[in-house]
Amino acid sequence: MPEAAHPIFMGVDVFYVATLCAAVCLCAMLLTLYAATTVRDPMAKRVKQLSERREQLKAGIVAPVIKRRAKLVSRNESTDRMRSILSSLKVLQDTQLKDTQIKLAQAGIRSKDTAYTIIFLRMVLPIVIGGGVALWIFGLDGLADWVQWKRAGVAGVALYFSYKAPDMWIDNLISKRASAIRKGLPDALDLLVICAEAGLTVDTSFNRVAKELGRGYPELCDEFALTAIELSFLAERRQAFENLAKRVKLEALKGVVTTMIQTEKYGTPLASALRVLSAEFRHDRMMRAEEKAARLPALMSIPLILFILPTLFIVVIGPASCSIAKQFGG
């Protein structure tokens, strides 16, 4: 007895799509259960990184030149192999390496050797993914029922996104980290004002803020703790504040850094300046919340039209339609 053909909707097998959706839902459920059952301390990894940075700064002060370079630069075999490949192909530029390291620092990745991995992936992924898609389309006659320009477009899109994938990943991390730091900046400035009025020094105030707000805003407190360490060990305190501005891609924090530098240079009162900045950032946060609330009706209109109204029409008009069809049919 021949098997019944699966229903086809718009050229797509309905059973296949339903099976795929069920598999995605199962994976999402398992991932949710895993995330709920494995609760990790957000500060454990950051405390380890801060301890390593403290040891690096100590090594840079007291160790000889040869030992200093050995401690400050941590290498592994894979990174050395990538570096040698990039150097042999003449594709490793100092400006490109420096920009990538700054982006990684803004994304919260402290290891500078990761920059070689990112540059290596920019070179390898287009060859592997883009070249593989092009070989499948043009060499193995994939998507044979498509027209030629569509096939070329798929290959071009695969090549473009495979090249941009590392940068897109880093930009996403930078955006999320900057957003998290922006949320906690007004509270951190309020606590800095309290510490300054209590007579604490700048580095002690930064340490206190990092300790008090570590659970609520781990990203911001990570940067504050690292700045406090650099204030204690670096020869120029201005350099510590400039490093903070480089590590965080946020204009609001650059204003705080400028205020700190002016306070260190001219001796202006720190508490009053930070109080003004805190009020401005709190007002900006309220404006952002009001903007999101104003956009909510426009964003809700699309799911309302696509999902809620059709269901409502079916529930309200469905019984009447069935009755009318039954009467006319009878």
Side-chain angles (χ1 to χ4, degrees), residues 3 17-18 23 33 53 61 63 69 82 98 101-102 108 129 153 156 199 228-229 241 244 269 271 278 289 295 305 326:
E3 296 182 358
V17 174
L33 291 176
R53 178 59 176 168
I61 294 175
R69 296 181 64 183
M82 293 179 188
K98 185 176 180 181
Q101 289 175 348
I102 292 175
I129 299 179
I229 293 173
F241 293 121
L244 175 61
S278 176
R295 290 171 52 194
I305 295 172
K326 186 176 181 180

Side-chain angles (χ1 to χ4, degrees), residues 42-43 46 50 105-108 110 176-192 205-228 244-245 247-250 252-254 256-257 260 278 281-282 285:
M43 293 300 295
R46 292 179 171 86
L50 292 174
Q106 292 174 351
R110 304 297 183 197
K176 290 182 178 179
R177 184 177 176 82
S179 178
I181 291 176
R182 185 188 294 112
K183 291 179 181 178
L185 193 56
D187 297 335
L189 290 182
D190 288 339
L191 191 54
L192 276 177
S205 300
F206 272 73
N207 263 327
R208 186 66 179 180
V209 172
K211 181 179 179 181
E212 294 294 334
L213 301 181
R215 297 290 180 179
Y217 308 107
E219 294 84 3
L220 178 61
C221 296
D222 179 27
E223 296 296 338
F224 274 26
L226 184 56
T227 303
L244 175 61
R247 290 194 304 268
V248 181
K249 191 177 181 181
L250 190 62
L253 193 61
K254 291 182 180 179
V256 177
V257 168
M260 292 290 181
S278 176
F281 296 155
R282 204 172 290 278
R285 187 168 67 178

Side-chain angles (χ1 to χ4, degrees), residues 19-41:
T19 305
L20 184 61
C21 292
V24 172
C25 293
L26 180 61
C27 292
M29 184 180 65
L30 294 177
L31 183 61
T32 304
L33 291 176
Y34 174 77
T37 54
T38 57
V39 180
R40 299 179 181 178
D41 186 3

